[in-house]
Amino acid sequence: MDNTRNTAREWVHGLTALILGLFLLGISSGMGVMKSIVDLWGGILSIPEYPAVILREMFIEWRSWSRDKNTLNDEVRRLRNENAKLRLDLAKFNSEKMYASSDSEIRTARVTLRAPMSWWSEIRIDRGEQDKITQGLPVFSNGYLIGRVSSVSLMSSWAELITSPSFMIPAVIEETRELGVVAGDGNGSVLLRYIPAGRGIKTGMKVSTAMIGEQVPPGLPIGQIAGEFSAGVDGYTTYRIEPGADMSKFYTVSY
Amino acid sequence: MTLVILWLIQDLLTVFIGGGMQIPSLFMLGLVYRLLIDDSNDEGVNLWGIWSAFAGGILWDLRWIGIPGFFTLGYVVVVLAVIQVWGIIPPQGRSSGTSLIVFILMEISQLIPPLLPVLILGGSAGWRFFLMQQVYSLPAILFCIYIYNRKVRNRK
């Protein structure tokens, strides 16, 4: 009996709540006061909602920052790649230009003086400014680098030989791409210095100019490794180079 | 008090998400759970449930719909359904074996209230929000069933 009464009371309350809800739904859409109540309730709730608003703004800012950062990173990566490609293209272009100019203007010069006092250091050739000789120009014998022009006068020039102790030029071992410096010792020997020890350098490996420097193009043949000269305590080894040109006898050179 | 906190959490989450109806109705989950675990046969609890649903629905309508009635009706209908269905099962039979019924009642509490505004106001966006809310509700419902089962086991 009690149970039935309870159920009936629940229904009465439930239906009352439903009718009240429907009534509110029916009348509230046209009531201006409802707008004020909504605004008031929104204003009250804005206090506890404040942390959520702040969190939301922080989240939006973080998302925007993250998106911008990714876009910028992509842009930087793209520009770096483009820059590297342009540098490579420029280097290739310069190299080809140098080769083209050297190929097109290969000329010969006669050795007019090789003083005994500076036998391994320098020679004089019969070409000068009027023959478009410039300081730093590479000089060849038998197709191999033997030195570079050190001073120029109107009708003659001096070339410093690779056997000179003051001659230094960046070079590369073609088989291993190890970089070092070619220098003479003043007594007819040519050395390749500053090669890190233990890099598997073997006799007979070819040495040519490296892609460093402005006037001497890369890839000009110098000679080949003749053997180890000395192993320094600093971890670098010096190798003896057998020049491709016969450094004892040349009467003419090309440039 | 728990229901007030759940209502506020639901409101704060909706603010954080930026409006819409995607957030599961935590308030209704809490209310239905409270009605389901009550085995006192006290009529006052059910009446409290009806009017709590009414109040929670009106406040939600005032905050997010602007017209009181939509969620109010939905919440009251759900509570009435829960009271009637749950009343059929004798208290001795309310065990972990009734999990499916608990799941259905919990699901109804998430299905009916947001359905009314979508049906009346329409719009494709409304349907999208409604479907998203159903998906997000599932973990909350499963969690409620889990604690319900645990509670029932402990009671034994």
Side-chain angles (χ1 to χ4, degrees):
Chain A
M1 186 71 177
D2 272 356
N3 206 8
T4 316
R5 198 183 298 154
N6 286 350
T7 310
R9 197 176 291 172
E10 282 164 16
W11 273 112
V12 169
H13 277 263
L15 289 173
T16 308
L18 282 176
I19 290 165
L20 207 56
L22 279 169
F23 176 71
L24 281 171
L25 189 62
I27 63 156
S28 59
S29 55
M31 282 173 71
V33 71
M34 199 51 68
K35 215 171 195 177
S36 307
I37 296 171
V38 169
D39 290 344
L40 178 69
W41 182 231
I44 294 168
L45 279 178
S46 66
I47 299 163
E49 283 173 0
Y50 186 69
V53 174
I54 297 291
L55 266 176
R56 178 178 159 69
E57 280 172 6
M58 280 168 66
F59 177 73
I60 290 170
E61 264 180 38
W62 172 80
R63 205 172 53 178
S64 164
W65 174 82
S66 173
R67 203 183 300 128
D68 287 353
K69 192 183 152 212
N70 285 343
T71 311
L72 283 173
N73 278 343
D74 288 347
E75 185 68 11
V76 167
R77 210 172 295 126
R78 191 185 66 76
L79 287 171
R80 273 187 185 154
N81 286 342
E82 192 180 316
N83 198 26
K85 192 176 170 301
L86 286 171
R87 277 176 192 276
L88 199 65
D89 286 349
L90 182 67
K92 275 182 188 170
F93 174 76
N94 283 341
S95 177
E96 280 166 10
K97 204 169 81 174
M98 278 192 282
Y99 275 121
S101 67
S102 61
D103 283 350
S104 62
E105 292 175 25
I106 284 181
R107 292 178 183 178
T108 55
R110 200 161 50 83
V111 177
T112 53
L113 181 62
R114 191 173 185 183
M117 293 294 287
S118 56
W119 186 257
W120 298 112
S121 295
E122 56 184 358
I123 55 171
R124 192 181 70 189
I125 56 175
D126 64 343
R127 294 284 186 267
E129 272 178 17
Q130 63 179 11
D131 304 296
K132 296 180 183 172
I133 296 270
T134 54
Q135 197 173 353
L137 200 67
V139 180
F140 304 91
S141 173
N142 200 25
Y144 286 89
L145 185 76
I146 57 162
R148 65 184 164 198
V149 174
S150 54
S151 63
V152 186
S153 58
L154 188 63
M155 295 175 67
S156 66
S157 308
W158 285 92
E160 186 179 24
L161 298 174
I162 57 172
T163 44
S164 165
S166 59
F167 182 94
M168 284 187 174
I169 192 167
V172 62
I173 299 171
E174 288 183 4
E175 286 81 353
T176 63
R177 306 308 296 171
E178 292 291 339
L179 287 168
V181 175
V182 165
D185 69 348
N187 293 313
S189 292
V190 182
L191 305 172
L192 178 62
R193 297 181 188 275
Y194 313 131
I195 299 293
R199 297 297 170 99
I201 310 300
K202 292 188 178 107
T203 306
M205 286 183 171
K206 293 187 179 74
V207 178
S208 59
T209 53
M211 202 170 177
I212 303 169
E214 290 172 1
Q215 200 147 9
V216 178
L220 300 179
I222 298 172
Q224 60 184 24
I225 300 286
E228 193 176 306
F229 180 76
S230 68
V233 288
D234 52 359
Y236 293 98
T237 306
T238 300
Y239 291 92
R240 210 154 26 81
I241 292 179
E242 184 184 333
D246 188 346
M247 298 301 290
S248 299
K249 49 175 185 180
F250 41 75
Y251 303 101
T252 57
V253 294
S254 52
Y255 60 92
Chain B
M1 189 61 189
T2 312
L3 287 183
V4 173
I5 292 169
L6 282 173
W7 193 97
L8 268 176
I9 291 173
Q10 185 180 326
D11 180 57
L12 294 181
L13 285 173
T14 310
V15 170
F16 182 73
I17 295 295
M21 297 180 288
Q22 304 99 313
I23 298 300
S25 182
L26 302 178
F27 169 76
M28 278 309 285
L29 278 179
L31 181 56
V32 170
Y33 176 78
R34 174 74 181 78
L35 292 172
L36 294 180
I37 59 161
D38 180 67
D39 55 354
S40 64
N41 265 343
D42 181 8
E43 180 209 16
V45 174
N46 289 343
L47 298 184
W48 165 86
I50 290 168
W51 290 110
S52 295
F54 182 83
I58 275 199
L59 293 177
W60 192 258
D61 284 329
L62 287 174
R63 176 64 185 91
W64 291 105
I65 307 290
I67 305 166
F70 287 108
F71 277 82
T72 314
L73 288 173
Y75 284 6
V76 173
V77 165
V78 166
V79 168
L80 276 175
V82 169
I83 289 170
Q84 294 312 309
V85 172
W86 203 237
I88 295 169
I89 303 168
Q92 297 82 0
R94 294 170 189 172
S95 60
S96 55
T98 53
S99 292
L100 181 64
I101 298 170
V102 171
F103 174 78
I104 291 168
L105 292 175
M106 293 265 182
E107 186 55 49
I108 284 172
S109 77
Q110 300 301 301
L111 197 73
I112 292 177
L115 192 62
L116 285 176
V118 174
L119 284 175
I120 295 169
L121 300 175
S124 60
W127 279 108
R128 200 175 65 239
F129 281 134
F130 171 73
L131 291 173
M132 281 166 72
Q133 189 193 29
Q134 296 310 304
V135 174
Y136 296 150
S137 300
L138 267 177
I141 292 171
L142 293 174
F143 177 71
C144 281
I145 291 171
Y146 166 73
I147 55 172
Y148 169 80
N149 281 334
R150 216 173 60 171
K151 183 115 186 160
V152 168
R153 265 201 302 273
N154 289 343
R155 196 185 286 163
K156 280 179 178 174

